[in-house]
Amino acid sequence: MHGESDWSERAICRTTDPDELFVEGAQQNRAKATCVGCPVRTECLAYALDHRIEFGVWGGMTERERRALLRRRPTVSSWRRLLDTARAEHGKAHPRAAEPAPASAAG
């Protein structure tokens, strides 16, 4: 089992220049695209929400998107617990969603 911050070692962005994740305007879409397919996207987002990180793209969300989410759900005491539970429930309802796509045959 991984510790609370070990997720960052598995993040797609670990080799990205950090300045590329702390951008403004249209450049945020490019930064968010870095998060697509990241195996620890949920953990990253939960970390940013739980620690009220104000700047940068974390878990595929901009600071504005995270602030809006925090305003909509002010009673959440642990985003990590909430998102882990939601992911587990989604996996039960959609078991194939958690499986990797089969490799296609080269032809």
Side-chain angles (χ1 to χ4, degrees), residues 40-62:
V40 294
R41 182 175 178 171
T42 301
E43 291 85 347
C44 179
L45 177 59
Y47 182 86
L49 292 166
D50 282 337
H51 292 90
R52 303 301 195 262
I53 296 176
E54 295 184 22
F55 303 104
V57 171
W58 291 77
M61 293 184 82
T62 66

Side-chain angles (χ1 to χ4, degrees), residues 9 13 45 51 53 71 73 78 83 93:
E9 296 171 10
C13 66
L45 177 59
H51 292 90
I53 296 176
R71 280 194 304 273
R73 303 289 302 270
S78 171
L83 294 175

Side-chain angles (χ1 to χ4, degrees), residues 43-93:
E43 291 85 347
C44 179
L45 177 59
Y47 182 86
L49 292 166
D50 282 337
H51 292 90
R52 303 301 195 262
I53 296 176
E54 295 184 22
F55 303 104
V57 171
W58 291 77
M61 293 184 82
T62 66
E63 55 264 26
R64 180 177 287 173
E65 292 166 334
R66 291 193 309 276
R67 279 194 307 269
L69 184 56
L70 289 167
R71 280 194 304 273
R72 284 193 308 269
R73 303 289 302 270
T75 60
V76 174
S77 60
S78 171
W79 285 95
R80 177 70 185 257
R81 186 171 34 247
L82 177 76
L83 294 175
D84 283 349
T85 300
R87 181 171 42 197
E89 290 300 317
H90 180 75
K92 288 179 189 175

Side-chain angles (χ1 to χ4, degrees), residues 4-17:
E4 184 174 319
S5 62
D6 288 344
W7 60 264
S8 64
E9 296 171 10
R10 297 178 289 132
I12 286 177
C13 66
R14 72 186 175 282
T15 58
T16 302
D17 179 355

